[in-house]
Amino acid sequence: MTAAVSVALTALRVNALRSFLAMLGVIIGVGSVIVMISISQGAKAAVDAQISALGANSLQLRPGSSFRGGVRGGSGSATPLSDEDAEALRENVPFVIAAAGIIQQRGLTAVVDGVNWATEVAGTHPDYFIVRDWAIAEGRPFTVPELDGSARVAVIGRTVANELFPAGGAVGATLRINGVPLEVTGILAERGQSSWGQDQDDVIFVPTTTLRDRLGSVPAAGVRNPVQAIWLGIDRARNIEPATEEITDLMRVRRNVRLGAEDDFSVVNFAEFLRARSETESQLGLLLAATAVISLVVGGIGIMNIMLVSVTERTREIGLRLAIGARQGDVRNQFLIEAVVLCVAGGLVGMAFGAAGALFVESLGEFPVSIEPTIALVAIGAAAGVGILFGFYPAHRASRLNPIDALRYE
C-alpha cells in the first residue's frame, strides 16, 4: 500500500498543474461543505442559546389590542395585566410552576460614589429568575417578604456590576436610583446579547413594589398593581399547548371576555418561534449543503476525466506491467489509489480554505459559526468517496487493457 501511494504521488507530481486543476473542483466542494455546515451549526447553537436565555419552557402573557367606540387600538392597548393575574395563574393552573409580572423602565440612572450609569430598571417577582432560568452568580435574589415589604434591594446584571463596581465588591454595597438607596443582594450570571441585539446584562432588577412605591416611575394604568407582561414557567414534564389553553381559559374569565369575542391578551411562546426559525435556517443550510455536494460531483467528474487521460497516456506502461506479471487487480488498485490520493489532497486543501472562509464569515459579525472536528472528518470522507466513485471506471478500464495491444500503443 505504501509503495502504491508513493507511485501515485510521483505520477501526480509529474503533471502538477494538471493535477491541481483536477483537484480544484474538490477543493471548492470541500471548502463549501465546511463553510455551509459551520454556519448551519453555529446558527443552531445560537438559537439554542437564545432559547436557554428565554427559558426552555416559558411563556409570556401580554395585553392585546383594544376595541373601543368602533376604534381598534394597537397591540398592548388593552387593559393592562396585574400582579393579581400572575398570582391567579400561579395558584389555579397546575401547569404553571412560576409566574412573575414585570415592569421595565429604561433610561434610569444608577449612581455609586459619583459614578453614573444609565440602564434599564425592571420591577418583578422573585419567580422571574426561575422562569428565565437565570442563575445568580454572586449573592442571592430578593425574596417574597422583601417584595411584600417594598424592600430597598436590587439584583444587578454583569454589565452594571462592571460599570458601577469595577473593583468588585458589589454584593452588599449600595447604589442609588432617583435618590433612593438600594442594597445589591446579588449579581446575575452573564447572558450576553439577546436575539435582537440588546445587552441582557445591562439591567437592574428590583421588587415590583419597590419600583412602584419608592422609585415612583410607573405611570397610572387604570388597574391595581399593573404590569407590562407576565412571564410564566411551565412544568418541563408537561406540554406547552395544553398549558396555553388553560392559561387562555382562565384569563378570558378574569378579563370578562364574552363568549365568541376575540382575546384582549396574547400568550407568546418565544421558544417555539426560535425553533421555527432554527428549522428554517436548517432547511437553508441543507440547500447550501446540496450546492456544495454538486460542487463535489463536478469536481469528481473532473477527476474522472483526468484519470481517463492518464490511462491513455500510460497505456504502454500498463501493458508492460501486465506483461511482467502484474494482475488486473493490481493495475486497478494503482489507478484507484491515484484517484483517491488526488481527491484527499484536494480535500485537505479545501478543508484549510473552508476553515479560513468560515472564520472570515464569523469575523464579519453576520453569522455565528461552529467548526467541529467531525465536520473535517466528514469532508475528508466525502473527498475520498468522490475519488473511489469517480476513479473506479478509469481504474477498471486500465485493468482490462490487453497487454499485447497496450505494448503496441503509440
Side-chain angles (χ1 to χ4, degrees):
M1 178 63 73
T2 303
V5 173
S6 177
V7 171
L9 291 173
T10 301
L12 296 178
R13 283 198 299 269
V14 170
N15 295 290
L17 180 59
R18 188 173 72 182
S19 298
F20 174 75
L21 293 176
M23 290 190 298
L24 198 56
V26 177
I27 293 172
I28 295 172
V30 170
S32 300
V33 167
I34 289 178
V35 171
M36 299 312 171
I37 294 179
S38 297
I39 292 175
S40 178
Q41 291 294 321
K44 183 178 181 299
V47 169
D48 289 343
Q50 291 166 8
I51 290 174
S52 177
L54 289 170
N57 263 41
S58 64
L59 299 171
Q60 190 186 74
L61 185 64
R62 297 175 173 176
S65 58
S66 61
F67 190 77
R68 299 185 181 92
V71 178
R72 180 178 292 277
S75 177
S77 62
T79 302
L81 302 166
S82 67
D83 284 337
E84 287 71 25
D85 290 326
E87 185 66 25
L89 289 164
R90 191 183 300 114
E91 292 182 353
N92 298 304
V93 180
F95 294 92
V96 175
I97 59 174
I102 188 167
I103 308 168
Q104 295 169 294
Q105 296 290 315
R106 292 181 173 84
L108 296 183
T109 301
V111 182
V112 175
D113 297 332
V115 178
N116 301 329
W117 183 251
T119 185
E120 175 187 316
V121 178
T124 190
H125 187 281
D127 275 2
Y128 180 81
F129 306 112
I130 298 173
V131 176
R132 296 294 306 276
D133 197 19
W134 204 337
I136 303 294
E138 300 178 34
R140 62 171 179 85
F142 47 80
T143 64
V144 172
E146 288 172 331
L147 172 75
D148 294 338
S150 303
R152 299 178 182 182
V153 292
V155 174
I156 63 177
R158 179 58 64 181
T159 298
V160 176
N162 293 340
E163 294 295 335
L164 294 180
F165 304 94
V171 176
T174 299
L175 57 83
R176 291 180 178 271
I177 299 176
N178 290 350
V180 178
L182 301 172
E183 178 189 352
V184 178
T185 64
I187 302 174
L188 291 163
E190 189 171 353
R191 275 283 174 88
Q193 287 192 343
S194 65
S195 57
W196 47 89
Q198 180 184 355
D199 182 2
Q200 298 180 90
D201 303 307
D202 190 6
V203 63
I204 297 175
F205 289 102
V206 299
T208 314
T209 51
T210 303
L211 186 62
R212 291 196 193 101
D213 302 340
R214 299 191 183 279
L215 301 184
S217 56
V218 180
V223 299
R224 185 170 176 267
N225 300 326
V227 293
Q228 294 167 337
I230 297 174
W231 282 89
L232 302 166
I234 308 301
D235 186 349
R236 292 178 184 272
R238 308 289 186 130
N239 200 315
I240 288 287
E241 285 70 22
T244 303
E245 292 176 5
E246 288 202 27
I247 292 165
T248 301
D249 291 342
L250 177 61
M251 291 306 300
R252 285 181 66 88
V253 172
R254 289 188 58 81
R255 294 170 72 85
N256 297 316
V257 179
R258 296 190 307 274
L259 185 65
E262 183 180 343
D263 294 340
D264 64 348
F265 60 91
S266 59
V267 182
V268 182
N269 186 347
F270 290 108
E272 286 303 316
F273 166 75
L274 290 172
R275 287 190 185 99
R277 194 183 78 175
S278 178
E279 290 177 3
T280 301
E281 291 175 343
S282 296
Q283 291 173 358
L284 178 60
L286 288 175
L287 291 175
L288 295 174
T291 303
V293 169
I294 291 173
S295 298
L296 275 175
V297 171
V298 172
I301 293 172
I303 295 293
M304 179 184 286
N305 182 49
I306 291 301
M307 293 308 299
L308 287 172
V309 171
S310 179
V311 169
T312 301
E313 290 179 343
R314 296 160 64 186
T315 299
R316 287 178 61 84
E317 175 191 330
I318 295 168
L320 182 59
R321 289 188 178 189
L322 291 171
I324 60 176
R327 294 170 297 180
Q328 289 184 340
D330 296 329
V331 174
R332 181 177 60 249
N333 292 339
Q334 179 62 54
F335 280 89
L336 194 57
I337 288 172
E338 289 184 18
V340 171
V341 168
L342 193 63
C343 286
V344 170
L348 291 172
V349 176
M351 186 172 62
F353 277 106
L359 293 175
F360 175 73
V361 170
E362 185 178 40
S363 69
L364 296 178
E366 296 295 329
F367 299 99
V369 300
S370 175
I371 303 175
E372 300 178 1
T374 53
I375 298 176
L377 294 176
V378 169
I380 295 300
V386 167
I388 294 171
L389 181 63
F390 289 92
F392 182 80
Y393 174 71
H396 179 71
R397 181 174 175 177
S399 69
R400 301 296 293 178
L401 289 175
N402 185 294
I404 297 175
D405 294 336
L407 288 170
R408 290 175 177 173
Y409 184 82
E410 294 294 337

